[in-house]
Amino acid sequence: MLKGYTRANSSKHMSRNLFPFASRFSAGSSSCSISIVMWSVVGCLLMLHLYSLVSQSDKQNKEINASMRSYPLLLQLEAVEEENIKMPRPRGRSQRAAKRKPRHTTTLIDEFLDDSSPIRHIFFPDMKTAIDPNKDAGNNSLYYYPGKIWLDTEGNSIQAHGGGVLFDERSRTYYWYGEYKDGPTYHAHKRAAARVDIMGVGCYSSKDLWTWKNEGIVLAAEGKNKTHDLHKLNVLERPKVIYNDKTGEYVMWMHIDNANYTKASVGIAVSDSPTGPFDYLYSKRPHGFDSRDMTIFKDNDGVAYIIYSSEDNRDLHISPLTEDYLDVTRVMKRVLVGKHREAPALFKHEGIYYMITSGCTGWAPNKALAHAAKSILGPWETLGNPCIGGNEVVRFTTFFSQSTYVLPFPGLPGLFIFMADRWNPANLRDSRYVWLPLTVGGAANQQPLEYNFGSPLWSRVSIYWHKRWRLPDI
């Protein structure tokens, strides 16, 4: 009886002890199965999303490549053209000079900055080679020659430095605005930068982006009032103009400074006509920060932005403008923090924002960098040097020029005109224009540093060097 009871009781007890284990095992198996299913679904979704990103990028690249192949001239523009600049023979030095100071190894940049260099004609060709739309005809029409003197329809050299181009929808005309520097170059004091007294903002109009008519000075300097921002002894640089569809006004923003570059402000002017005259309104330090090299950008939705070098050129600041484009809003974002970039030129392609910037080396040319962002307010990723062709020094110096604007070419997605200035600090009125083809497409030169999921697959920005090129005829 006792043994029988013990076995029966033991059996029941064992059943009760095993049941919780079985329950836990069953529950654990169920939980484990659910986890496996959940992670499998998430993994599939991740793979599908990644595949869609890659497929979308491939589709866009194929569309761009197909578009490019339909225009043979574009393939010519993407051809790599080399540049062979031979250094001159070392110039003789007296024995006394040689003992006093060892010879410095001269570079191409030194030769570029030396106004007495025997190869100066390579960087600044003389008037004999000037681009004259009134004389060139037939097969020579519409060709750009970066670095050569460019004449307007009156036969005078174009004065629109550090500028930008506005396409006016109403008149179907291009307007090129820039610094009118047709005056003598001098230094305010021994250590001051080269400068030209303010003359104003020049404006040129064109239907074909090659033949330019001088529309005169649309924002003139102030000759008498020394307290005025536009007094001739002050600084006016990098004027840009956009049209406000709501107010019907053309709004100009520019860098305003004093002779020693301590005012560091922006100036604003308006006009009812693209050819002016523009009425100067005021200057200010946006958001209370210093502002030097700057540009403005009008997005597809009509919202406009200012991008300016600030905090002693350490950072770039980006801010939306008010609806009338006459002031900045309270929103401001710092981008490229600590990178010391200037001369921003911003453009947009396929919903992605791109920007070309320059380093801060005064009048000496330096390496350009391309940047990209999903939002204009950032974060911005650096893609690398966009310059292709020439030689290593030419690429490192942005073709001996500095960015000022990027102009979309209508009708061909992915093709832009890179506008830059080849500064001549010895004679600023003789600074030249470097216009070159810029394309967007293919894998970027340098992948973003942060590989966050969902990050865009950046397209490569390429600026191609050509001694002679022309726009596609479409």
Side-chain angles (χ1 to χ4, degrees):
M1 289 291 296
L2 182 62
K3 290 181 180 179
Y5 170 79
T6 303
R7 286 196 188 99
N9 188 51
S10 176
S11 177
K12 291 178 181 179
H13 182 71
M14 184 177 294
S15 297
R16 285 196 298 269
N17 289 340
L18 286 175
F19 182 74
F21 175 78
S23 299
R24 288 196 299 269
F25 180 79
S26 177
S29 300
S30 177
S31 176
C32 183
S33 300
I34 293 173
S35 298
I36 293 173
V37 171
M38 286 180 62
W39 282 111
S40 298
V41 171
V42 171
C44 290
L45 290 175
L46 290 173
M47 292 298 293
L48 286 172
H49 185 65
L50 183 61
Y51 176 77
S52 66
L53 287 175
V54 175
S55 299
Q56 184 178 5
S57 177
D58 289 343
K59 182 180 179 181
Q60 290 176 355
N61 290 334
K62 288 178 181 178
E63 289 176 353
I64 292 173
N65 291 333
S67 175
M68 294 296 188
R69 283 194 296 271
S70 64
Y71 298 99
L73 185 55
L74 288 181
L75 296 179
Q76 296 178 22
L77 296 181
E78 289 189 327
V80 177
E81 186 174 326
E82 299 298 333
E83 185 73 64
N84 183 21
I85 302 177
K86 294 183 179 180
M87 289 287 292
R89 293 181 179 179
R91 280 165 274 185
R93 304 173 72 211
S94 66
Q95 292 182 355
R96 181 179 298 177
K99 290 180 180 179
R100 185 171 63 248
K101 187 176 181 180
R103 180 183 293 277
H104 166 71
T105 303
T106 305
T107 66
L108 268 181
I109 298 178
D110 294 326
E111 295 294 341
F112 171 80
L113 295 172
D114 184 0
D115 58 342
S116 64
S117 170
I119 61 171
R120 188 165 181 78
H121 63 280
I122 295 176
F123 308 111
F124 298 96
D126 58 23
M127 184 63 79
K128 295 179 182 178
T129 64
I131 306 169
D132 189 349
N134 293 325
K135 293 181 179 179
D136 291 339
N139 294 332
N140 291 323
S141 294
L142 304 177
Y143 273 96
Y144 299 106
Y145 295 82
K148 289 188 177 182
I149 295 173
W150 198 348
L151 304 180
D152 61 22
T153 55
E154 298 175 359
N156 300 314
S157 60
I158 295 173
Q159 292 291 329
H161 308 284
V165 172
L166 165 73
F167 178 68
D168 185 49
E169 295 283 354
R170 298 188 299 178
S171 61
R172 309 298 296 174
T173 303
Y174 293 94
Y175 292 96
W176 181 7
Y177 304 89
E179 306 161 33
Y180 202 89
K181 289 185 175 295
D182 199 16
T185 300
Y186 68 94
H187 298 259
H189 53 85
K190 187 175 181 180
R191 295 186 178 181
R195 58 162 286 122
V196 172
D197 284 346
I198 293 180
M199 300 188 71
V201 176
C203 175
Y204 296 81
S205 62
S206 176
K207 295 289 187 179
D208 58 11
L209 291 172
W210 187 71
T211 305
W212 294 95
K213 175 187 174 184
N214 186 2
E215 299 289 352
I217 294 178
V218 296
L219 179 66
E222 169 59 43
K224 297 180 180 180
N225 185 358
K226 293 184 178 180
T227 65
H228 199 283
D229 285 341
L230 301 184
H231 185 263
K232 63 180 182 179
L233 296 182
N234 288 328
V235 172
L236 187 166
E237 296 177 338
R238 298 187 174 270
K240 304 293 188 294
V241 175
I242 53 177
Y243 178 70
N244 191 306
D245 300 279
K246 294 181 180 179
T247 65
E249 290 184 318
Y250 297 86
V251 183
M252 178 188 297
W253 284 66
M254 69 212 85
H255 169 208
I256 292 293
D257 228 317
N258 49 18
N260 58 8
Y261 282 85
T262 58
K263 186 177 180 68
S265 301
V266 294
I268 300 96
V270 296
S271 174
D272 294 329
S273 167
T275 56
F278 280 77
D279 296 322
Y280 187 77
L281 300 181
Y282 69 101
S283 67
K284 70 177 297 183
R285 283 191 162 195
H287 312 102
F289 290 96
D290 57 303
S291 172
R292 292 183 171 84
D293 278 9
M294 49 71 61
T295 191
I296 50 177
F297 174 78
K298 181 180 176 181
D299 211 340
N300 304 94
D301 58 4
V303 178
Y305 299 82
I306 181 173
I307 304 94
Y308 60 96
S309 297
S310 190
E311 302 184 62
D312 293 325
N313 288 346
R314 187 177 67 248
D315 311 335
L316 284 180
H317 291 184
I318 300 180
S319 170
L321 302 184
T322 53
E323 287 190 4
D324 57 9
Y325 299 171
L326 301 183
D327 202 351
V328 293
T329 62
R330 294 182 179 180
V331 177
M332 186 275 285
K333 296 293 184 180
R334 289 179 174 88
V335 301
L336 304 183
V337 176
K339 301 299 183 182
H340 294 275
R341 307 303 295 176
E342 64 179 10
L346 197 145
F347 61 103
K348 188 178 183 181
H349 177 65
E350 298 289 346
I352 301 296
Y353 299 90
Y354 296 93
M355 181 165 54
I356 307 295
T357 64
S358 164
C360 301
T361 55
W363 295 114
N366 58 70
K367 181 176 67 173
L369 288 177
H371 316 272
K374 292 176 67 177
S375 166
I376 192 171
L377 296 178
W380 285 80
E381 301 282 1
T382 299
L383 307 181
N385 186 353
C387 299
I388 295 177
N391 57 43
E392 185 176 358
V393 177
V394 171
R395 291 189 294 274
F396 184 81
T397 58
T398 317
F399 316 113
F400 295 98
S401 66
Q402 186 182 40
S403 53
T404 185
Y405 198 75
V406 175
L407 176 65
F409 184 70
L412 284 178
L415 176 64
F416 302 81
I417 298 176
F418 172 70
M419 297 172 53
D421 295 282
R422 179 172 290 177
W423 298 113
N424 182 355
N427 185 9
L428 288 170
R429 78 197 327 166
D430 192 40
S431 297
R432 308 299 176 83
Y433 310 105
V434 174
W435 286 26
L436 290 167
L438 181 153
T439 62
V440 179
N445 300 340
Q446 178 180 326
Q447 290 297 326
L449 297 178
E450 297 180 3
Y451 295 88
N452 295 329
F453 176 74
S455 295
L457 300 175
W458 305 118
S459 294
R460 182 177 61 244
V461 177
S462 305
I463 305 171
Y464 293 90
W465 169 251
H466 292 280
K467 293 181 180 179
R468 176 180 184 268
W469 70 283
R470 70 186 295 265
L471 289 171
D473 185 15
I474 63 173

